[in-house]
Amino acid sequence: MKLTKLPAKYATLVMPLLLSVMMTFVVSAISTFKNIGFADNFAAHWMSAWGMSWVIAFPTLLLALPLVRRVVAMIVAPSQA
């Protein structure tokens, strides 16, 4: 079975989507562990924290990425390819 890829124009949404999912997943796990340890209800607290943080992180990334790209372009020399 061959998977159909999304058109390239969706990369500007897919990249921050995946980045926000992965980063909030890890950070919320660390934060939850720091606050309650490996309690019996750790997974429930973690998923709740992860969901809330992702809801904030994804739109924030969508808004911040254009600015971040401009700042990076000012700091990093273009490739000589």
Side-chain angles (χ1 to χ4, degrees):
M1 179 168 115
K2 185 177 179 182
L3 294 175
T4 304
K5 292 185 177 184
L6 292 171
K9 68 180 182 178
Y10 292 107
T12 57
L13 289 175
V14 173
M15 192 277 296
L17 172 70
L18 295 177
L19 181 62
S20 65
V21 166
M22 288 187 267
M23 288 300 297
T24 56
F25 193 75
V26 171
V27 171
S28 63
I30 293 166
S31 179
T32 302
F33 175 74
K34 184 180 179 299
N35 284 306
I36 67 168
F38 281 124
D40 290 338
N41 55 358
F42 174 81
H45 283 283
W46 177 17
M47 291 299 102
S48 175
W50 172 69
M52 178 64 75
S53 61
W54 181 80
V55 165
I56 302 301
F58 181 55
T60 301
L61 274 173
L62 290 176
L63 294 172
L65 272 172
L67 173 63
V68 170
R69 286 187 180 111
R70 282 185 291 225
V71 170
V72 169
M74 290 188 299
I75 297 169
V76 177
S79 76
Q80 304 268 333

